Amino acid sequence: MRSYGQYCPVAKALDVIGDRWSLLIVRELLIRGPSRYTDLRKGLDGIATNLLADRLRELEAAGVVGSAEAPPPVATTLYSLTERGQELERVVAALGRWGAPLLAAELPDDAYRSHRFALAVKAGKDRSPSQRPVAVEVRVDGEEPMVVETVGGDVKPRAGTAEHPDAVVSGPTLLIVALLTGRLDLATATSRGVHVDGSREALTRVLPARS
Amino acid sequence: MRSYGQYCPVAKALDVIGDRWSLLIVRELLIRGPSRYTDLRKGLDGIATNLLADRLRELEAAGVVGSAEAPPPVATTLYSLTERGQELERVVAALGRWGAPLLAAELPDDAYRSHRFALAVKAGKDRSPSQRPVAVEVRVDGEEPMVVETVGGDVKPRAGTAEHPDAVVSGPTLLIVALLTGRLDLATATSRGVHVDGSREALTRVLPARS
DNA sequence: CCGGATCCGGGTTGATACTG
DNA sequence: CAGTATCAACCCGGATCCGG
């Protein structure tokens, strides 16, 4: 991308991560941790392979992304965020908070992936480090499940299932999303079709404070 | 811009403000408040006029920017941020914090404008609402001056000069910028060529905590 | 001067095909 | 699996023009 040529912190930041797809690549790495090329491509859902290769090169040159050869038997390249790249979490989180209301109305043809709400969940939750860890499994109708765990006051969401979840929430996409992003409280959500198995208290520990 | 087509808060936000120049237009409106087309063009320094017109239309359609006809004798259109647009301040501030280190090395051919550091100054300062207001004038060698004022715990930077500043800082660009963005403390800055007239205490009230 | 609209050359993106 | 190569469509930047 062409530089803006402005001596300004915002413009300089955009010179590095203002390209199309760049911040979404960072989002993907923030959520998934070190990832293979193919997994990034799947998570980004729609990026052209040449663009992904381009962006990874640019971000690596800028010191945002690093790549490492995984040892055998995996034998593949793993892309991950450098320390500098991790610092973009505040930016991505701020964007996500601002963008959350845009999801409210409907679910058009947009590709749904559970893990994309991981950051929203993480950002919405204030730390209470003293309590025991909990694991909550989230199931959206017809989609891959996701797990939200609290570990020492930090919230760690990830794709997949939990062995012994403290609670399992399930229901239609829009309601679950509204619940996870804090637009809907638990009582209303359950009254409209969200189902909770297990400890409701564990679930509330993981939900954002009502916004 | 083409939509990413992803059901994700970050992607949705980028659908709206991910276009080239869009966030810089928001930055400009955040700093300057309601502005005329021509002033935006000057502040953005390098944007093509068709792009500015396009972006303003898009941002207005998205509910981020509003336009209003100023009454005679001014008789011009004033563009401003809607309430929704104001909420982007957190995003722009986060980007600025991340981008600030990129200014460290040198000042190439980049266009310098004092007001671009307004947000950095504002973000870096924690509120201490109880104290009396101060005004500090910032002068960078060969550039337009800027004023930083505190009003009831809030920091209001703007372009221009102050009538009775509590302090005046002046010096070479790089040192002033490092001081304003918190990379340099006042003692080091003065030892390297930054000059302070008036109350040093007023100045420190306006500087960010050392990062 | 202000606030754009229009046109055009070149660079970027996106879809697909192909390769080690 | 991890990309590179190719090519059409689109977007950006710069210049020019035009009505208040």
Side-chain angles (χ1 to χ4, degrees):
Chain A
M1 173 196 258
R2 255 184 78 136
S3 166
Y4 286 105
Q6 298 184 359
Y7 196 69
C8 162
V10 179
K12 285 297 173 202
L14 289 175
D15 280 348
V16 175
I17 46 77
D19 260 322
R20 188 161 167 80
W21 292 109
S22 294
L23 262 188
L24 291 186
I25 293 174
V26 171
R27 172 202 72 185
E28 211 63 18
L29 290 173
L30 277 171
I31 297 176
R32 310 173 91 101
S35 308
R36 297 181 303 175
Y37 186 90
T38 306
D39 293 330
L40 287 177
R41 206 145 101 76
K42 263 180 237 156
L44 288 166
D45 193 56
I47 190 174
T49 175
N50 57 343
L51 284 190
L52 179 53
D54 279 1
R55 293 293 177 273
L56 285 172
R57 256 193 302 274
E58 292 167 7
L59 290 173
E60 191 164 358
V64 173
V65 162
S67 63
E69 305 298 323
V74 194
T76 184
T77 315
L78 286 181
Y79 294 95
S80 57
L81 291 174
T82 62
E83 198 169 328
R84 176 86 178 131
Q86 284 283 345
E87 291 169 10
L88 279 167
E89 178 162 359
R90 307 181 64 80
V91 174
V92 176
L95 259 180
R97 284 181 80 90
W98 191 83
L102 300 172
L103 299 169
E106 68 240 279
L107 183 71
D109 302 331
D110 294 349
Y112 180 91
R113 295 285 147 82
S114 304
H115 73 273
R116 295 201 185 122
F117 296 94
L119 289 175
V121 172
K122 187 172 177 187
K125 197 54 195 166
D126 36 27
R127 329 287 181 198
S128 46
S130 53
Q131 298 182 284
R132 76 166 209 294
V134 296
V136 174
E137 194 170 314
V138 180
R139 297 181 166 283
V140 169
D141 293 347
E143 306 290 344
E144 15 158 5
M146 163 177 143
V147 183
V148 183
E149 292 166 314
T150 71
V151 183
D154 203 11
V155 180
K156 305 251 185 208
R158 59 178 174 80
T161 61
E163 304 244 332
H164 302 292
D166 298 271
V168 177
V169 227
S170 55
T173 312
L174 284 178
L175 286 179
I176 294 284
V177 167
L179 182 65
L180 290 183
T181 57
R183 286 204 314 278
L184 211 59
D185 61 66
L186 184 52
T188 314
T190 51
S191 78
R192 295 204 202 157
V194 167
H195 189 69
V196 180
D197 254 353
S199 157
R200 285 178 102 89
E201 183 266 339
L203 176 54
T204 58
R205 292 264 313 279
V206 144
L207 292 180
R210 272 292 260 128
S211 66
Chain B
M1 176 196 255
R2 252 182 80 128
S3 165
Y4 285 106
Q6 298 184 359
Y7 197 68
C8 162
V10 179
K12 285 298 173 200
L14 289 175
D15 280 346
V16 175
I17 47 77
D19 260 322
R20 187 160 168 80
W21 293 107
S22 294
L23 262 188
L24 291 187
I25 292 174
V26 171
R27 171 202 73 186
E28 211 63 17
L29 290 173
L30 277 171
I31 297 176
R32 310 171 91 101
S35 307
R36 296 182 304 175
Y37 186 89
T38 306
D39 293 329
L40 288 176
R41 206 147 102 76
K42 264 180 232 156
L44 288 166
D45 197 54
I47 190 174
T49 173
N50 57 342
L51 286 191
L52 179 53
D54 279 1
R55 293 294 176 271
L56 285 173
R57 253 194 305 274
E58 293 166 7
L59 291 173
E60 192 165 356
V64 173
V65 162
S67 63
E69 305 299 322
V74 194
T76 185
T77 315
L78 286 181
Y79 294 94
S80 58
L81 292 174
T82 61
E83 198 170 325
R84 176 85 178 133
Q86 283 284 345
E87 290 169 11
L88 280 167
E89 177 161 359
R90 306 181 63 82
V91 174
V92 176
L95 260 179
R97 285 182 79 90
W98 190 84
L102 300 172
L103 299 169
E106 68 238 277
L107 182 71
D109 302 330
D110 294 348
Y112 179 91
R113 296 284 149 83
S114 303
H115 73 276
R116 295 201 185 121
F117 296 93
L119 287 175
V121 171
K122 187 174 176 184
K125 197 52 194 170
D126 36 27
R127 328 289 181 197
S128 45
S130 54
Q131 296 180 286
R132 75 166 209 294
V134 295
V136 174
E137 194 171 313
V138 181
R139 300 182 164 281
V140 169
D141 292 347
E143 306 288 346
E144 16 159 3
M146 163 177 141
V147 183
V148 184
E149 292 167 313
T150 70
V151 183
D154 203 11
V155 181
K156 305 251 184 206
R158 60 178 174 80
T161 60
E163 302 246 332
H164 302 291
D166 298 273
V168 177
V169 226
S170 56
T173 311
L174 284 177
L175 286 180
I176 294 285
V177 168
L179 182 65
L180 290 183
T181 57
R183 288 203 314 277
L184 211 61
D185 61 65
L186 184 52
T188 314
T190 51
S191 79
R192 295 204 202 157
V194 167
H195 189 68
V196 180
D197 253 352
S199 158
R200 285 178 102 89
E201 183 266 338
L203 177 54
T204 57
R205 291 264 312 280
V206 144
L207 293 180
R210 273 292 262 127
S211 67

